[in-house]
Amino acid sequence: MFGLNKKDTSLLIIVACLTMFAPFILNPFPTDSGLAQFNAGYPDLMQRFVIFGIFAIGFNILFGLTGYLSFGHAAFLGVGSYSAVWMFKLIGMNVIPAIVLSVIVAGLFALLIGFISLRRSGIYFSILTLAFAQMSFNLAYSVLTPITNGETGLQLTLEDPRILGVSATADGSIPVTNLFGLEMRSTFEMAVGPWAFQFNAGYYLCAFIMLAAFYLSIRIFRSPFGMMLRAVKSNQQRMNYTGLNTRPYTLAAFVISGMYAGLAGGLMASMDPLAGAERMQWTASGEVVLMTILGGAGTLIGPVLGAGFIKYFENIFSKINDNVLHSWFSFMPDGMEDAVVFLIHPFIGKGWHLTLGILFMLVVIFLPGGLVEGGQRIKGWLSGRKAKDDGKAAGETNPAE
Amino acid sequence: MGILEVKDVGKRFGGLQALSDVNLSVKENSVHAIIGPNGAGKSTLLNCLVGKLIPDTGSVMFDGQSVLGRAPYEINQMGISRVFQTPEIFGDLTVLENMMIPCFAKRDGAFELNALSSVLRQKDILQKAEHMLEEMNMADKRHMHAAAMSRGDKRRLEIGMCLSQEPRLLLLDEPTAGMARADTNNTIDLLKQISDERDITIAIIEHDMHVVFSLANRITVLAQGTPLVEDDPQNIRGNPKVREAYLGESA
């Protein structure tokens, strides 16, 4: 189906189901139960899951296929965000022109940076991209203040022209982002018994775009172009002596992944119309590297899993505080309860980075292929055990014959 | 006029004159061996032919066109394929994919943004690659990772990849270096078969005299960066100058 083989089609369908039913899947606990804080099915977080999923899918086209590790992809995300907000300021609050412009601008920006950075490979390439991203961050923060509004970040105001829309709504407030009238923030709440599920228009827009982006990445992985990118990673010398020019291949991969990042940035601004320089900082670039490696670089689904995993931890673990811990361990004797809370304390709340760091180390050391490799091992282990059982059963019946 | 004409080529690395006044003419459809003791400049000469190095002086003409100043991929597209001393293949890809890449390079040129069609839809490429694998007796290994194969098989694959581009000149850099006797003999047989059955010129740099004398029909002896003699194999065998170059004055 859709020009994909059976395995890829089923993968796409699984991802489609997961994203479409995310409001249910991510809200497994009743609203007023003690476990409700582990629910992730609220619009803001779900939007972040899919937007960072897009970012990581694009990054994986560059890093997973060609092996070129860019440490500056957040710059394209930031550029995308700024472009989108400018569209909201100048043209109107429809998200389509904003998203289109953010992809185009990020693509052009990636063409420029890629053209220069791809003259080097390995660590030098990484350093060049990092330098460019930090340069963009600092420019956005200071020199380019007329465009980026510096430290405050770019925001909508009542004085914006919005040629195709209105500067202010009838009641004098700033209009909200919409898709041909459908407001991105509009949320339909469905209460089923003790559960409350939220269906947000913005989330579904992002989810559909992520599915399209995911589908496109499968096509790229399975295409001759994707095969050439894997060949670049494997042996550039042989590429050159096989009559293939590696530079345009790597540049195309770089621009495509930059456009994915721009798309993610544009969507971010469409959900919440503001853009700040901190989106371009090197920590943001590092985050997408972590997502891709944690999920499984070079695999199709890995980056999406990695993005979801990190964003979940960031939002859920960071919210657990000492009071919550005390309530969990209240069944213990007083002294012991305090001791346990004291031991866990560094890993939660503001210390969630520590938990993430430990998990990341464990994954890199024991599962170099990321979460995807973990899944494959469990699958292999299960089917291996099943095969063994079958063999045993066959062995037992044979002598009887 | 040969298919490859090297005229007055010189190359200097700092204080070392690696090549000087190298003149060489490789005739079409011949097997031309370039031999010489260690440090004679064989590899430098080869690198000048494929675009990895640019000589300081002289000219290198392939089929009437200069190769100097062109990138390796451009020279390859002109019809020169190179086999390396240690097999250079795509280790992370399967054997079949390895064979498909040169077929794409032959069909689509140095760059083609073919990002949306599936590899499996490229019937002509698949067919050609499968055919080439059969010719190389590797069809049963098509889904293996190339890096997992033996040295001899990697060499076979690399030669097959070069041939699938239908080059006019095949350059081999010590193709049997570090190989067991059986693998060496297999490689000799393969190369013999290639030169008999195909419309191809082979230039080979080699250390192993057994390989050279079983394959070559023309030999150039290189010593201290300059050609000593160029002759037929039977004349090279008895040539006192060649013995001297290889074994030193006292011999």
Side-chain angles (χ1 to χ4, degrees):
Chain A
M1 217 193 326
F2 315 119
L4 302 180
N5 67 24
K6 225 170 150 188
K7 218 174 139 195
D8 293 338
T9 310
S10 47
L11 185 65
L12 183 65
I13 290 172
I14 290 171
V15 173
C17 291
L18 287 179
T19 46
M20 290 302 118
F21 296 114
F24 296 110
I25 297 166
L26 295 173
N27 253 359
F29 308 112
T31 318
D32 46 5
S33 76
L35 292 168
Q37 58 182 307
F38 290 108
N39 282 342
Y42 51 96
D44 189 40
L45 184 53
M46 287 194 298
Q47 286 166 4
R48 238 172 290 163
F49 282 153
V50 285
I51 290 173
F52 278 92
I54 294 172
F55 190 19
I57 290 169
F59 186 76
N60 191 41
I61 290 174
L62 179 72
F63 176 56
L65 288 177
T66 69
Y68 277 76
L69 177 56
S70 162
F71 256 108
H73 257 52
F76 308 127
L77 186 109
V79 167
S81 284
Y82 281 122
S83 318
V85 175
W86 270 111
M87 279 311 246
F88 295 137
K89 283 169 99 66
L90 298 177
I91 304 294
M93 296 307 286
N94 194 329
V95 295
I96 296 293
I99 292 170
V100 170
L101 185 79
S102 58
V103 173
I104 292 171
V105 172
L108 291 174
F109 196 50
L111 188 68
L112 175 73
I113 291 184
F115 184 77
I116 300 167
S117 305
L118 286 165
R119 291 175 174 272
R120 291 282 171 270
S121 60
I123 187 80
Y124 303 101
F125 168 78
S126 304
I127 296 292
L128 278 171
T129 50
L130 177 63
F132 271 115
Q134 279 302 91
M135 238 150 72
S136 317
F137 164 69
N138 283 313
L139 284 176
Y141 211 73
S142 53
V143 184
L144 294 179
T145 301
I147 303 174
T148 61
N149 204 20
E151 301 178 34
T152 331
L154 194 59
Q155 287 165 349
L156 303 182
T157 64
L158 289 168
E159 285 81 51
D160 295 329
R162 276 188 274 283
I163 313 167
L164 299 179
V166 284
S167 292
T169 53
D171 57 1
S173 57
I174 298 170
V176 295
T177 52
N178 63 67
L179 176 70
F180 303 111
L182 175 66
E183 286 185 8
M184 288 294 107
R185 65 177 183 190
S186 64
T187 303
F188 167 71
E189 204 154 314
M190 183 171 92
V192 182
W195 287 276
F197 303 111
Q198 299 179 49
F199 300 89
N200 171 260
Y203 166 72
Y204 276 98
L205 175 74
C206 295
F208 279 118
I209 292 178
M210 192 206 76
L211 282 178
F214 185 63
Y215 170 69
L216 191 66
S217 103
I218 300 180
R219 290 296 291 258
I220 291 174
F221 266 62
R222 302 292 181 237
S223 71
F225 175 68
M227 195 163 90
M228 293 298 176
L229 296 184
R230 285 187 296 134
V232 168
K233 184 180 185 178
S234 185
N235 192 340
Q236 290 220 23
Q237 169 114 313
R238 183 31 89 199
M239 282 288 271
N240 285 324
Y241 288 96
T242 307
L244 294 159
N245 190 359
T246 52
R247 190 78 73 73
Y249 281 106
T250 48
L251 186 58
F254 193 87
V255 171
I256 291 170
S257 75
M259 287 164 83
Y260 268 81
L263 175 64
L267 282 173
M268 234 182 245
S270 304
M271 297 304 115
D272 186 8
L274 48 88
E278 73 288 341
R279 271 184 202 170
M280 303 170 113
Q281 215 170 358
W282 68 273
T283 46
S285 298
E287 196 178 48
V288 74
V289 179
L290 289 191
M291 286 172 183
T292 311
I293 293 176
L294 192 70
T299 61
L300 285 167
I301 187 78
V304 185
L305 293 179
F309 193 84
I310 288 185
K311 284 293 149 192
Y312 184 81
F313 268 74
E314 182 184 282
N315 288 279
I316 304 299
F317 259 67
S318 60
K319 266 190 218 143
I320 302 172
N321 55 29
D322 281 3
N323 292 335
V324 177
L325 283 183
H326 277 293
S327 71
W328 285 354
F329 296 109
S330 56
F331 62 90
M332 290 179 171
D334 262 357
M336 208 168 145
E337 182 188 324
D338 288 341
V340 170
V341 171
F342 177 76
L343 283 177
I344 301 180
H345 173 79
F347 296 94
I348 48 140
K350 281 181 184 157
W352 77 274
H353 278 109
L354 191 59
T355 316
L356 181 69
I358 292 170
L359 283 170
F360 184 72
M361 280 195 288
L362 290 174
V363 165
V364 169
I365 293 169
F366 295 107
L367 295 170
L371 296 173
V372 169
E373 191 187 331
Q376 283 166 345
R377 280 205 200 165
I378 292 170
K379 206 173 138 195
W381 185 69
L382 287 176
S383 62
R385 215 171 60 156
K386 202 178 151 211
K388 221 186 246 170
D389 286 350
D390 290 350
K392 223 181 190 174
E396 277 164 5
T397 51
N398 277 342
E401 285 172 5
Chain B
M1 189 74 177
I3 186 165
L4 184 73
E5 291 283 340
V6 178
K7 280 221 162 54
D8 306 323
V9 161
K11 178 78 192 172
R12 174 180 277 279
F13 296 114
L16 175 76
Q17 188 73 36
L19 294 175
S20 52
D21 300 326
V22 177
N23 285 288
L24 183 74
S25 173
V26 178
K27 286 200 179 56
E28 195 147 14
N29 295 332
S30 67
V31 180
H32 196 124
I34 298 161
I35 63 171
N38 276 331
K42 301 184 300 280
S43 297
T44 309
L45 176 60
L46 187 78
N47 284 333
C48 288
L49 304 182
V50 294
K52 194 168 185 184
L53 291 176
I54 298 173
D56 304 329
T57 58
S59 68
V60 179
M61 304 289 277
F62 173 71
D63 199 24
Q65 280 183 295
S66 174
V67 304
L68 298 187
R70 292 182 202 249
Y73 76 89
E74 291 173 306
I75 294 175
N76 177 281
Q77 289 282 358
M78 289 167 74
I80 302 181
S81 278
R82 175 180 181 178
V83 173
F84 287 80
Q85 198 168 339
T86 37
E88 293 279 357
I89 52 173
F90 302 111
D92 304 331
L93 273 58
T94 67
V95 171
L96 180 62
E97 286 173 329
N98 265 274
M99 205 55 109
M100 289 172 80
I101 285 174
C103 299
F104 277 117
K106 174 80 182 166
R107 191 189 72 182
D108 300 337
F111 173 71
E112 170 86 30
L113 187 65
N114 196 353
L116 291 178
S117 85
S118 166
V119 168
L120 301 171
R121 294 262 171 91
Q122 314 287 317
K123 297 282 183 223
D124 54 328
I125 299 279
L126 272 169
Q127 212 172 3
K128 196 172 160 191
E130 292 274 6
H131 177 77
M132 204 62 216
L133 282 178
E134 263 159 45
E135 212 165 303
M136 291 284 126
N137 282 326
M138 306 188 87
D140 54 326
K141 299 193 173 71
R142 62 163 74 85
H143 294 308
M144 230 172 129
H145 264 210
M149 294 195 301
S150 73
R151 177 79 176 254
D153 280 342
K154 283 181 188 166
R155 168 65 73 224
R156 240 183 143 68
L157 175 63
E158 191 187 21
I159 292 174
M161 285 163 73
C162 288
L163 288 181
S164 64
Q165 292 191 285
E166 297 154 38
R168 297 188 55 205
L169 174 64
L170 183 64
L171 293 175
L172 298 115
D173 187 2
E174 303 202 24
T176 62
M179 264 189 196
R181 201 78 207 157
D183 276 339
T184 302
N185 286 335
N186 283 337
T187 308
I188 292 174
D189 291 343
L190 175 66
L191 291 173
K192 255 189 195 153
Q193 191 195 341
I194 291 167
S195 87
D196 289 347
E197 289 175 1
R198 287 170 184 268
D199 191 20
I200 194 170
T201 313
I202 296 178
I204 179 168
I205 283 180
E206 190 50 86
H207 232 77
D208 186 336
M209 288 303 135
H210 169 61
V211 178
V212 171
F213 286 108
S214 17
L215 283 172
N217 42 37
R218 192 80 184 164
I219 296 177
T220 299
V221 183
L222 214 58
Q224 287 163 353
T226 191
L228 209 56
V229 268
E230 185 183 322
D231 215 331
D232 295 334
Q234 58 267 33
N235 298 335
I236 293 285
R237 233 186 254 272
N239 191 317
K241 267 173 143 183
V242 177
R243 282 166 181 261
E244 197 185 296
Y246 263 86
L247 300 169
E249 298 281 348
S250 57

